[in-house]
Amino acid sequence: MILELDCGNSFIKWRVLNVDRVGAFAEGVVGSNVALIESLSAVPGISLTRCRLVSVRALEETNKLVETLIEAFGITVSCATSAVEMAGVRNGYDDFERLGLDRWLAILGGYKLASGPCLVLDFGTAATADYIDINGEHLGGFICPGLPLMRNQLRTHTRKIRYDDASAERALERLSPGRTTAEAVERGCTLMLRGFVLTQIELARSYWGDDFTVFLTGGDADLVFDTVPQARLVPDLVFIGLAMACPLP
Protein backbone atom coordinates (compact mmCIF):
# COMPACT_ATOMS: atom_id res chain seq x y z
CA MET A 1 0.00 0.00 0.00
CA ILE A 2 1.18 3.50 -0.86
CA LEU A 3 0.75 6.41 1.55
CA GLU A 4 0.37 9.83 -0.07
CA LEU A 5 0.66 13.04 1.95
CA ASP A 6 -0.09 16.68 1.10
CA CYS A 7 1.42 18.69 3.97
CA GLY A 8 -0.04 22.18 3.81
CA ASN A 9 0.38 25.16 6.09
CA SER A 10 -2.52 24.19 8.35
CA PHE A 11 -3.33 20.52 7.77
CA ILE A 12 -1.95 17.23 6.47
CA LYS A 13 -4.16 15.57 3.89
CA TRP A 14 -3.51 11.85 3.54
CA ARG A 15 -4.70 8.88 1.57
CA VAL A 16 -3.68 5.25 1.26
CA LEU A 17 -3.71 3.56 -2.14
CA ASN A 18 -3.93 -0.16 -2.73
CA VAL A 19 -1.93 -0.68 -5.92
CA ASP A 20 -4.26 -3.48 -7.01
CA ARG A 21 -7.42 -1.36 -6.83
CA VAL A 22 -8.80 1.90 -8.17
CA GLY A 23 -9.43 4.66 -5.65
CA ALA A 24 -8.27 5.29 -2.10
CA PHE A 25 -8.22 2.49 0.46
CA ALA A 26 -8.52 5.12 3.22
CA GLU A 27 -8.12 8.90 3.50
CA GLY A 28 -8.42 11.80 5.90
CA VAL A 29 -7.22 15.19 7.10
CA VAL A 30 -5.29 15.80 10.34
CA GLY A 31 -3.66 18.70 12.11
CA SER A 32 -0.41 17.18 13.39
CA ASN A 33 2.17 14.42 12.95
CA VAL A 34 0.86 12.64 16.03
CA ALA A 35 -2.72 12.72 14.73
CA LEU A 36 -1.50 11.36 11.38
CA ILE A 37 0.19 8.34 12.95
CA GLU A 38 -2.85 7.69 15.13
CA SER A 39 -5.23 7.91 12.16
CA LEU A 40 -3.13 5.59 10.02
CA SER A 41 -2.64 3.08 12.82
CA ALA A 42 -6.40 2.92 13.34
CA VAL A 43 -7.12 1.88 9.72
CA PRO A 44 -8.09 -1.83 9.67
CA GLY A 45 -5.97 -3.97 7.38
CA ILE A 46 -3.44 -1.25 6.59
CA SER A 47 -0.03 -2.45 5.37
CA LEU A 48 2.15 0.41 4.19
CA THR A 49 5.18 -0.28 2.02
CA ARG A 50 5.98 3.12 0.49
CA CYS A 51 5.21 6.80 0.93
CA ARG A 52 5.41 9.87 -1.26
CA LEU A 53 4.74 13.36 0.03
CA VAL A 54 4.68 17.01 -0.85
CA SER A 55 5.30 19.60 1.84
CA VAL A 56 5.22 23.40 1.88
CA ARG A 57 6.45 23.39 5.47
CA ALA A 58 9.92 24.27 6.75
CA LEU A 59 12.62 21.70 5.96
CA GLU A 60 13.03 20.89 9.65
CA GLU A 61 9.30 20.16 10.02
CA THR A 62 9.27 18.01 6.91
CA ASN A 63 12.33 16.04 7.99
CA LYS A 64 10.73 15.43 11.38
CA LEU A 65 7.63 14.02 9.70
CA VAL A 66 9.73 11.75 7.48
CA GLU A 67 11.60 10.45 10.55
CA THR A 68 8.31 9.84 12.34
CA LEU A 69 6.91 7.85 9.40
CA ILE A 70 10.03 5.72 9.07
CA GLU A 71 10.03 5.00 12.80
CA ALA A 72 6.33 4.16 12.91
CA PHE A 73 6.00 2.08 9.73
CA GLY A 74 9.51 1.31 8.45
CA ILE A 75 8.66 2.61 4.98
CA THR A 76 10.64 4.35 2.25
CA VAL A 77 9.62 8.01 1.87
CA SER A 78 9.98 10.02 -1.36
CA CYS A 79 9.58 13.82 -1.23
CA ALA A 80 8.53 15.89 -4.23
CA THR A 81 10.99 18.57 -5.32
CA SER A 82 10.88 21.53 -7.69
CA ALA A 83 11.97 21.26 -11.30
CA VAL A 84 12.51 23.57 -14.25
CA GLU A 85 10.54 21.20 -16.45
CA MET A 86 8.57 18.01 -15.88
CA ALA A 87 5.95 15.97 -17.74
CA GLY A 88 5.80 18.52 -20.57
CA VAL A 89 5.28 21.49 -18.23
CA ARG A 90 7.83 24.29 -17.87
CA ASN A 91 8.00 26.14 -14.57
CA GLY A 92 7.21 29.81 -15.17
CA TYR A 93 8.95 31.33 -12.13
CA ASP A 94 12.20 33.27 -12.62
CA ASP A 95 13.58 31.20 -9.73
CA PHE A 96 11.86 27.85 -10.23
CA GLU A 97 12.50 26.72 -6.64
CA ARG A 98 10.43 29.61 -5.29
CA LEU A 99 7.20 28.27 -6.79
CA GLY A 100 5.31 26.48 -4.01
CA LEU A 101 5.50 22.72 -4.37
CA ASP A 102 1.76 22.29 -3.90
CA ARG A 103 1.13 24.77 -6.73
CA TRP A 104 3.71 23.03 -8.95
CA LEU A 105 2.08 19.63 -8.47
CA ALA A 106 -1.43 21.03 -9.05
CA ILE A 107 -0.10 22.60 -12.27
CA LEU A 108 1.30 19.23 -13.39
CA GLY A 109 -1.96 17.49 -12.56
CA GLY A 110 -4.10 20.12 -14.26
CA TYR A 111 -2.12 20.06 -17.49
CA LYS A 112 -2.22 16.27 -17.59
CA LEU A 113 -6.01 16.21 -17.20
CA ALA A 114 -6.65 19.12 -19.58
CA SER A 115 -4.20 18.20 -22.33
CA GLY A 116 -4.36 21.86 -23.26
CA PRO A 117 -4.52 25.37 -21.79
CA CYS A 118 -5.86 25.48 -18.24
CA LEU A 119 -6.42 27.66 -15.22
CA VAL A 120 -5.75 26.03 -11.85
CA LEU A 121 -7.48 27.65 -8.86
CA ASP A 122 -6.57 26.36 -5.41
CA PHE A 123 -8.42 27.45 -2.26
CA GLY A 124 -6.62 26.62 0.97
CA THR A 125 -4.94 28.84 3.54
CA ALA A 126 -4.07 30.99 0.53
CA ALA A 127 -6.00 31.26 -2.72
CA THR A 128 -3.85 30.78 -5.81
CA ALA A 129 -4.31 30.94 -9.57
CA ASP A 130 -1.95 29.50 -12.17
CA TYR A 131 -2.05 29.65 -15.97
CA ILE A 132 -0.66 26.94 -18.25
CA ASP A 133 -0.80 27.31 -22.02
CA ILE A 134 -1.30 24.67 -24.72
CA ASN A 135 2.45 24.02 -24.90
CA GLY A 136 2.77 23.39 -21.17
CA GLU A 137 4.31 26.78 -20.46
CA HIS A 138 3.43 28.02 -16.98
CA LEU A 139 2.65 31.70 -17.53
CA GLY A 140 2.75 32.58 -13.83
CA GLY A 141 -0.01 33.13 -11.32
CA PHE A 142 -1.47 35.01 -8.39
CA ILE A 143 -1.62 34.52 -4.63
CA CYS A 144 -4.03 36.16 -2.21
CA PRO A 145 -5.33 35.34 1.27
CA GLY A 146 -7.73 32.42 1.41
CA LEU A 147 -10.81 32.29 3.59
CA PRO A 148 -8.92 31.16 6.74
CA LEU A 149 -6.41 34.01 6.46
CA MET A 150 -9.05 36.65 5.76
CA ARG A 151 -11.16 35.47 8.66
CA ASN A 152 -8.23 35.30 11.08
CA GLN A 153 -6.95 38.73 10.13
CA LEU A 154 -10.32 40.27 10.89
CA ARG A 155 -10.59 38.39 14.17
CA THR A 156 -7.06 39.41 15.16
CA HIS A 157 -7.16 43.08 14.23
CA THR A 158 -10.79 43.97 14.91
CA ARG A 159 -11.66 43.70 18.59
CA LYS A 160 -15.40 43.20 18.26
CA ILE A 161 -15.24 40.40 15.69
CA ARG A 162 -15.66 37.28 17.78
CA TYR A 163 -17.69 34.19 16.89
CA ASP A 164 -17.34 30.43 16.95
CA ASP A 165 -16.99 27.86 14.16
CA ALA A 166 -20.63 26.81 14.41
CA SER A 167 -21.74 30.39 13.74
CA ALA A 168 -19.36 30.57 10.78
CA GLU A 169 -20.83 27.41 9.28
CA ARG A 170 -24.41 28.63 9.69
CA ALA A 171 -23.49 31.98 8.14
CA LEU A 172 -22.60 30.35 4.84
CA GLU A 173 -26.02 28.81 4.32
CA ARG A 174 -26.79 31.83 2.13
CA LEU A 175 -25.01 34.94 0.80
CA SER A 176 -27.51 37.72 1.50
CA PRO A 177 -26.20 40.75 3.44
CA GLY A 178 -25.30 39.66 6.96
CA ARG A 179 -27.37 40.62 10.00
CA THR A 180 -24.75 39.40 12.47
CA THR A 181 -20.98 39.84 12.60
CA ALA A 182 -20.41 36.19 11.72
CA GLU A 183 -22.68 36.46 8.69
CA ALA A 184 -21.12 39.72 7.53
CA VAL A 185 -17.56 38.41 7.80
CA GLU A 186 -18.09 34.91 6.40
CA ARG A 187 -20.25 36.05 3.51
CA GLY A 188 -18.02 39.04 2.75
CA CYS A 189 -14.89 36.88 2.61
CA THR A 190 -16.66 34.30 0.44
CA LEU A 191 -17.74 37.01 -2.00
CA MET A 192 -14.16 38.25 -2.15
CA LEU A 193 -13.05 34.74 -3.15
CA ARG A 194 -15.74 34.62 -5.80
CA GLY A 195 -14.60 37.97 -7.13
CA PHE A 196 -11.05 36.61 -7.33
CA VAL A 197 -12.33 33.66 -9.37
CA LEU A 198 -14.26 35.83 -11.82
CA THR A 199 -11.23 38.05 -12.36
CA GLN A 200 -9.07 35.00 -13.16
CA ILE A 201 -11.67 33.67 -15.61
CA GLU A 202 -11.74 37.05 -17.38
CA LEU A 203 -7.95 37.07 -17.70
CA ALA A 204 -7.87 33.47 -18.97
CA ARG A 205 -10.41 34.38 -21.64
CA SER A 206 -8.18 37.25 -22.78
CA TYR A 207 -5.48 34.63 -23.42
CA TRP A 208 -7.45 31.71 -24.84
CA GLY A 209 -11.03 32.78 -25.57
CA ASP A 210 -13.28 29.99 -24.31
CA ASP A 211 -10.83 27.20 -25.16
CA PHE A 212 -9.42 26.37 -21.73
CA THR A 213 -10.20 24.18 -18.73
CA VAL A 214 -10.74 25.51 -15.23
CA PHE A 215 -9.77 23.33 -12.27
CA LEU A 216 -10.90 24.01 -8.71
CA THR A 217 -9.12 22.35 -5.82
CA GLY A 218 -8.40 22.92 -2.13
CA GLY A 219 -10.53 22.76 1.00
CA ASP A 220 -12.72 25.77 0.20
CA ALA A 221 -13.19 25.12 -3.53
CA ASP A 222 -16.83 24.18 -3.01
CA LEU A 223 -17.54 27.77 -1.85
CA VAL A 224 -16.85 29.11 -5.34
CA PHE A 225 -17.93 26.15 -7.48
CA ASP A 226 -21.28 27.61 -8.55
CA THR A 227 -19.46 30.78 -9.70
CA VAL A 228 -17.87 28.77 -12.53
CA PRO A 229 -20.25 25.90 -13.34
CA GLN A 230 -18.04 24.87 -16.26
CA ALA A 231 -15.12 24.21 -13.91
CA ARG A 232 -13.88 20.77 -12.91
CA LEU A 233 -13.77 20.23 -9.15
CA VAL A 234 -10.77 17.97 -8.48
CA PRO A 235 -10.05 17.70 -4.73
CA ASP A 236 -7.03 15.43 -5.29
CA LEU A 237 -5.32 17.48 -8.01
CA VAL A 238 -2.12 17.80 -5.96
CA PHE A 239 -2.01 14.01 -5.52
CA ILE A 240 -2.27 13.56 -9.30
CA GLY A 241 0.81 15.77 -9.69
CA LEU A 242 2.54 14.02 -6.79
CA ALA A 243 2.30 10.66 -8.59
CA MET A 244 3.96 12.29 -11.60
CA ALA A 245 6.74 13.90 -9.57
CA CYS A 246 7.42 10.82 -7.42
CA PRO A 247 6.72 7.73 -9.53
CA LEU A 248 7.11 4.56 -7.50
CA PRO A 249 8.17 1.19 -8.94
Side-chain angles (χ1 to χ4, degrees):
M1 292 180 176
I2 300 171
L3 172 63
E4 295 185 328
L5 301 176
D6 177 4
C7 307
N9 293 296
S10 303
F11 299 101
I12 301 174
K13 184 177 181 181
W14 64 269
R15 72 177 186 179
V16 175
L17 303 179
N18 190 326
V19 293
D20 298 326
R21 300 178 183 176
V22 177
F25 177 78
E27 57 189 340
V29 179
V30 295
S32 67
N33 294 356
V34 172
L36 174 64
I37 301 304
E38 290 176 348
S39 296
L40 292 171
S41 299
V43 177
I46 195 170
S47 179
L48 299 177
T49 55
R50 292 165 287 176
C51 172
R52 54 190 171 206
L53 67 82
V54 55
S55 175
V56 298
R57 301 182 175 192
L59 182 60
E60 182 179 350
E61 288 182 84
T62 303
N63 288 340
K64 179 62 177 177
L65 174 58
V66 171
E67 292 171 4
T68 301
L69 289 167
I70 293 173
E71 181 180 345
F73 302 109
I75 53 178
T76 301
V77 181
S78 299
C79 299
T81 58
S82 300
V84 174
E85 189 168 355
M86 181 178 292
V89 180
R90 185 168 181 81
N91 193 314
Y93 261 30
D94 294 334
D95 180 355
F96 75 94
E97 293 182 316
R98 297 292 295 172
L99 177 64
L101 278 172
D102 53 347
R103 286 175 64 195
W104 175 235
L105 296 186
I107 287 166
L108 293 179
Y111 186 70
K112 178 182 179 180
L113 294 179
S115 298
C118 59
L119 168 62
V120 176
L121 300 171
D122 192 337
F123 299 93
T125 303
T128 63
D130 285 287
Y131 296 75
I132 309 93
D133 72 13
I134 193 170
N135 298 313
E137 188 75 26
H138 173 225
L139 305 180
F142 299 95
I143 304 172
C144 74
L147 185 59
L149 281 179
M150 287 192 281
R151 177 192 294 130
N152 289 339
Q153 283 297 302
L154 285 170
R155 285 177 170 177
T156 301
H157 297 288
T158 309
R159 292 184 179 181
K160 292 187 177 181
I161 293 183
R162 298 287 185 273
Y163 55 90
D164 56 26
D165 292 340
S167 298
E169 186 174 346
R170 288 194 301 271
L172 290 175
E173 292 174 356
R174 60 182 63 86
L175 288 177
S176 56
R179 292 179 176 270
T180 66
T181 298
E183 290 176 354
V185 170
E186 294 297 316
R187 295 173 188 179
C189 291
T190 299
L191 290 174
M192 287 192 72
L193 283 186
R194 292 183 174 212
F196 174 77
V197 170
L198 293 174
T199 300
Q200 306 313 310
I201 297 293
E202 182 179 349
L203 181 56
R205 284 188 176 134
S206 74
Y207 288 145
W208 306 309
D210 290 323
D211 186 21
F212 64 96
T213 305
V214 182
F215 293 101
L216 301 178
T217 192
D220 288 323
D222 58 326
L223 294 179
V224 300
F225 182 60
D226 60 358
T227 306
V228 271
Q230 76 273 27
R232 295 176 61 179
L233 183 61
V234 187
D236 294 329
L237 192 59
V238 169
F239 283 142
I240 294 173
L242 178 61
M244 299 164 67
C246 297
L248 298 175

